[in-house]
Amino acid sequence: PITSEEMAAAFRDLHEFARAPERKVLVVEDNDAERDSIVQLIAGDDEQVIAVAVRTAEEALTVLQEQHFLCIV
């Protein structure tokens, strides 16, 4: 169970996500072909979605220290 404050915070976060002019997603996948496919599925031709792709968890941690992402896949 969550508190009403936690629920309100979750809805605020969702609202911010929906209003964001661009959505940045971090894709972590060691297989090149799969990583490219995931990036294409997520971002495609949508200019509002920026997919940053890395191969390893270590690379992901480094990128996470430098940038903010709305989602990690």
Side-chain angles (χ1 to χ4, degrees), residues 13 16-17 20 22-26 50-52 60-72:
D13 291 345
E16 287 179 28
F17 174 80
E22 61 182 33
R23 295 162 178 94
K24 193 181 292 187
V25 178
L26 176 61
I50 299 170
V52 176
L61 290 173
T62 299
V63 172
L64 285 168
Q65 292 175 350
E66 301 166 354
Q67 300 178 47
H68 175 75
F69 295 90
L70 295 175
C71 180
I72 301 172

Side-chain angles (χ1 to χ4, degrees), residues 25-27 37-46 49-51 71 73:
V25 178
L26 176 61
V27 177
S37 293
I38 293 168
V39 167
Q40 184 60 35
L41 284 171
I42 291 172
D45 295 329
D46 189 341
V49 177
I50 299 170
C71 180
V73 179

Side-chain angles (χ1 to χ4, degrees), residues 4 6-8 12-13 15 18-21 27-30 32 35 37 39-41 45 50 56 59-61 63 66:
S4 59
E6 291 170 324
M7 179 72 80
R12 276 193 305 275
D13 291 345
H15 182 71
R19 292 185 50 202
V27 177
V28 184
E29 173 57 57
D30 62 347
D32 292 340
R35 186 175 57 254
S37 293
V39 167
Q40 184 60 35
L41 284 171
D45 295 329
I50 299 170
T56 66
E59 290 175 336
L61 290 173
V63 172
E66 301 166 354

